[in-house]
Amino acid sequence: REGGGTNKAPLLEALAGAPGRRWELAYLAGKPAVLAARQRRGGRSDGADDGDGADSWYRPLERLLLPWTRLRDGVYVDNGLVSAVQNFDAGTMQNINGVYRILDGEFLQTTVAGPFSWDGDGRGGTEAERDARVSGRRGAGVCAFRPTVATFKLGPFRFEQDLPEELPFDQTHIRDLPFFKFVHVDDRVAVAVGRSGGLALWTRMAE
């Protein structure tokens, strides 16, 4: 079943149908921002604060002094400051995720690479069990992955480190793996919700 079979799901085909297709991170939002957006979409208008401080008087100051808390409201990623890129290859079912540029320079780069699965395909079990998983989740867009190799580049120096794993990827239950649930992929953007409930948006890079 190399490459997850010939009948690729539409989201997977759009995300990883071409080996060199790359996606640059453009927007991140934490779980509170996602929940707030869902509430607004559902028509909630009682003005209630859910306790995350999003409407508190000190929130602008907190965003200024503690930049990492901006994820609670959502933050656009300036690729002049940092360029984070994902590549999914449906032919090999391998993922490369890396930071290739910091402060518009390429002196420091870091990547992690490893296998990924799609809607349970490529995972362990008998052929019948794998087919049942894929059939039951067809179109769900659940992409589980595991980094197995980390690479660091510092100027002309390059270091590579294998990452330990207790069980082979295809024998590891999805509850023990990081994953994205892709909700939208087209020829311009890819949007996914992470295991923690946060959301990420990537823009497709020129091929």
Side-chain angles (χ1 to χ4, degrees), residues 1 120-121 123-136:
R1 276 222 186 177
D121 201 5
R123 307 287 316 294
T126 66
E127 186 80 6
E129 289 170 339
R130 290 196 299 268
D131 287 342
R133 277 201 305 263
V134 175
S135 176

Side-chain angles (χ1 to χ4, degrees), residues 64-201:
L64 178 65
L65 299 179
L66 306 173
W68 58 89
T69 67
R70 296 176 188 176
L71 284 177
R72 284 164 41 188
D73 304 327
V75 60
Y76 288 94
V77 180
D78 183 346
N79 62 8
L81 296 178
V82 60
S83 176
V85 178
Q86 292 257 17
N87 166 248
F88 296 90
D89 186 343
T92 61
M93 297 303 283
Q94 292 287 312
N95 164 248
I96 302 175
N97 178 18
V99 174
Y100 293 92
R101 192 171 62 249
I102 298 176
L103 298 177
D104 212 21
E106 299 179 354
F107 184 80
L108 174 64
Q109 297 181 355
T110 178
T111 64
V112 291
F116 75 94
S117 65
W118 191 266
D119 288 348
D121 201 5
R123 307 287 316 294
T126 66
E127 186 80 6
E129 289 170 339
R130 290 196 299 268
D131 287 342
R133 277 201 305 263
V134 175
S135 176
R137 289 170 141 186
R138 183 71 68 189
V142 177
C143 174
F145 56 95
R146 170 188 278 162
T148 56
V149 178
T151 302
F152 304 91
K153 180 177 176 292
L154 186 64
F157 303 103
R158 186 176 184 273
F159 311 92
E160 191 170 285
Q161 177 68 50
D162 291 335
L163 302 177
E165 51 183 343
E166 294 184 4
L167 287 173
F169 177 71
D170 61 1
Q171 297 177 21
T172 305
H173 197 281
I174 192 172
R175 66 169 173 262
D176 298 319
L177 293 167
F179 65 82
F180 291 118
K181 177 177 172 57
F182 282 89
V183 295
H184 178 83
V185 184
D186 60 25
D187 60 353
R188 299 183 64 183
V189 300
V191 183
V193 177
R195 180 172 180 167
S196 66
L199 179 141
L201 181 148

Side-chain angles (χ1 to χ4, degrees), residues 35-51 55:
L35 292 176
R38 286 175 176 169
Q39 290 169 354
R40 289 194 296 270
R41 185 175 180 181
R44 176 173 171 177
S45 58
D46 57 10
D49 184 6
D50 293 320
D55 298 323

